[in-house]
Amino acid sequence: FEYTWSSTNGFSSISFLVDDISGLSAGIYTLSVLDILDGCVYSSSPIEISEPLPIEFFEDIDNNGNINSIADYTDFVCLGVCDGQIIFDIDGGTSPYLFQLINDDNGSILQENTSGIFNGLCAGCYTVNVYDDNWTNSIPDGCFNSYPFCIEESNTSINANINPAGCNPSGSAEIIFNNTLYPIDITLSLNNVLIVEELDYLSNEINFDILDPGLYELTINDSVGCETIYDFDISSLDNDLSFNSIEID
């Protein structure tokens, strides 16, 4: 027999020994079989091999005007807290998908699943490899895409200039915020009693001019809900000035 394969994508193959073919791309294929002894030709019905859409995150690979897959992840976590998350919505490739979370620091696989949801992430940089159901080791770059991302750590620091109470008789405090995610909410308490509240504050400094002696607690909540507490004391300076005698001429 003579086996002739042809396709709408330009593929053609003629064989006298093997009737199977492999490594085909998308297209519509037809098989014709010639019986060399009697000259009869037998043709198959069209055989269609379809190609799924590629998995796209940042680039319109198939140039159809649409990027079909997205990921939503936590931009910031609080200092020392590992509650970050990334969630995938895949609309290309062929499901089910395999998702692998990679630690960019050492290349190790931290987690893998078929849901596309990873929780409990600390600050750091990661890559998620996404494999669709057609992926094979023989074609490692096909039916696959990767998504790199970084989660940063919110870490507000506070510098303060504290002036004690004396003859004034009130003290004062100049507070400067660094590495803060705005807007912030500010509360100031004296001996556990709230005395000042500033919501949606946008400046990197705040001044408290009339502060009675006592123990103060300054609380900062940034835009992602991370809390920073700064305690300070307004002390009362004793006036040691005294008169031993007064002479009047």
Side-chain angles (χ1 to χ4, degrees), residues 101-163:
L101 178 68
I102 310 297
N103 183 343
D104 283 359
D105 287 339
N106 54 27
S108 64
I109 299 175
L110 300 176
Q111 302 178 43
E112 65 178 32
N113 61 46
T114 57
S115 68
I117 301 175
F118 297 100
N119 297 305
L121 304 183
C122 304
C125 290
Y126 306 87
T127 297
V128 175
N129 293 331
V130 184
Y131 305 87
D132 86 354
D133 195 47
N134 292 318
W135 182 87
T136 64
N137 287 316
S138 61
I139 312 176
D141 294 329
C143 305
F144 159 86
N145 209 334
S146 61
Y147 188 93
F149 69 102
C150 292
I151 297 176
E152 298 184 51
E153 194 169 57
S154 172
N155 184 16
T156 298
S157 63
I158 294 176
N159 295 328
N161 182 22
I162 309 299
N163 296 310

Side-chain angles (χ1 to χ4, degrees), residues 32-58:
S32 296
V33 180
L34 170 64
D35 188 334
I36 298 176
L37 295 180
D38 61 17
C40 295
V41 177
Y42 305 90
S43 298
S44 71
S45 299
I47 302 169
E48 182 175 3
I49 297 178
S50 60
E51 182 178 11
L53 296 175
I55 300 172
E56 302 168 325
F57 291 120
F58 306 105

Side-chain angles (χ1 to χ4, degrees), residues 1-5 13-22 31-33:
F1 296 96
E2 178 186 270
Y3 303 95
T4 302
W5 286 94
S13 173
I14 299 176
S15 173
F16 294 94
L17 299 175
V18 181
D19 58 353
D20 293 332
I21 54 175
S22 60
L31 172 62
S32 296
V33 180

Side-chain angles (χ1 to χ4, degrees), residues 40-119:
C40 295
V41 177
Y42 305 90
S43 298
S44 71
S45 299
I47 302 169
E48 182 175 3
I49 297 178
S50 60
E51 182 178 11
L53 296 175
I55 300 172
E56 302 168 325
F57 291 120
F58 306 105
E59 180 184 359
D60 182 11
I61 298 172
D62 56 6
N63 296 313
N64 68 352
N66 178 53
I67 292 179
N68 58 38
S69 302
I70 60 173
D72 184 25
Y73 64 90
T74 305
D75 291 310
F76 291 90
V77 294
C78 300
L79 179 65
V81 177
C82 296
D83 60 357
Q85 181 188 66
I86 186 167
I87 300 175
F88 284 88
D89 184 5
I90 307 297
D91 197 25
T94 302
S95 64
Y97 309 98
L98 175 66
F99 300 85
Q100 287 183 338
L101 178 68
I102 310 297
N103 183 343
D104 283 359
D105 287 339
N106 54 27
S108 64
I109 299 175
L110 300 176
Q111 302 178 43
E112 65 178 32
N113 61 46
T114 57
S115 68
I117 301 175
F118 297 100
N119 297 305

